Amino acid sequence: MSARPDAPSFLTARPFAHRGLHGARVSENGMAAFSAAIAGHFGIECDVRLSRDGVAIVFHDATLQRMAGAAGAVCDHDATTIDRLTLPDGGTVARLRDLLHICGTDVPLLIEIKVEGRHVAPICAAVAEELERRPKALAAVMSFNPMAVRWFTRHRSDVVRGLVVTERNRRGWRAGIGRALALWAAKPDFIACDIRDLPSPLSTRLRQRGTPVLTWTVRSEEERAQAALHADQIIFEGAA
C-alpha cells in the first residue's frame, strides 16, 4: 500500500463527532448537530448519498423513512424534493455543499461515501465537485467500499482519502485476504477501524508504517481509553 508521504495533520488534530454532535433532541447528520460540533471545537464526521439528480446529500440510511419519515430511497428523489423533508428535530436534510459552507476552512470534516458495488463514479464525482468549490476545506473522504476510495486515488489524488474497516463477522484467512486486497486497491491515506477490533494486527502494522488510524464509534470512557492506546484519533458519540 502506498499513499501520500505525510498525512495532513487535521486527521488527528481533534476528535470527530459521529454524524455531528447529536442526541435526544438533535438529529444525526443535521445542521443543528453539525453546528453543535463546531461550537464544541470538534471535527465532524458525516455520511453522504446521491440524489436521483446527482446531488451529494448528507444522509446515512439508504431509505428516508427512519430519519425523514418519507417513502423510498434517497436515490429515488431529486434534491429539491429532499430539501423539503424534515428531520425529527425539525431541521431539513442538508446538502454536502451546506455542510462544507459552515465548516469553512478550519473545521476538519470526514465525508463517508455511502455506495455499494462498483458503480461508484457518480457519487464520487459529485463529492469531488463540491470539494473543488472549497479548495481550502479541511476535508477527507472515506468509505467501506474500496472502489470509492480507488476512484479518488485515480481521479482526484489531491483529496485525502481513507478506507473504513471492520472485522465484525469477517475473520479468518479469507477475510484477511479481502482486507489486504481492499488496501491494495484503495491506497488510502488513513484507515478508520471499528473500535471493537482494536488492537488488531492491521491497525498496529499500519501505524508502524506511519498511516494514521482513526477509530469508530467510541461511546464510552473505556473505549476512549482503548482508542488512546491503539489509534491516533476517535470518531465519537455521547459522553466519549
Side-chain angles (χ1 to χ4, degrees), residues 42-60:
F42 298 116
I44 293 170
E45 185 269 354
C46 73
D47 305 287
V48 168
R49 291 188 178 273
L50 197 66
S51 69
R52 181 168 59 186
D53 54 341
V55 176
I57 303 294
V58 181
F59 209 80
H60 175 271

Side-chain angles (χ1 to χ4, degrees), residues 1 7 32 49 95:
M1 186 188 78
R49 291 188 178 273
R95 299 186 183 198

Side-chain angles (χ1 to χ4, degrees), residues 96-109:
L96 178 59
R97 69 185 61 171
D98 302 327
L99 176 53
L100 283 166
H101 175 72
I102 67 167
C103 286
T105 59
D106 60 353
V107 179
L109 176 64

Side-chain angles (χ1 to χ4, degrees), residues 123-140:
I123 188 169
C124 291
V127 171
E129 182 179 353
E130 296 299 342
L131 291 175
E132 192 169 1
R133 293 191 177 105
R134 298 277 178 177
K136 295 184 179 181
L138 302 181

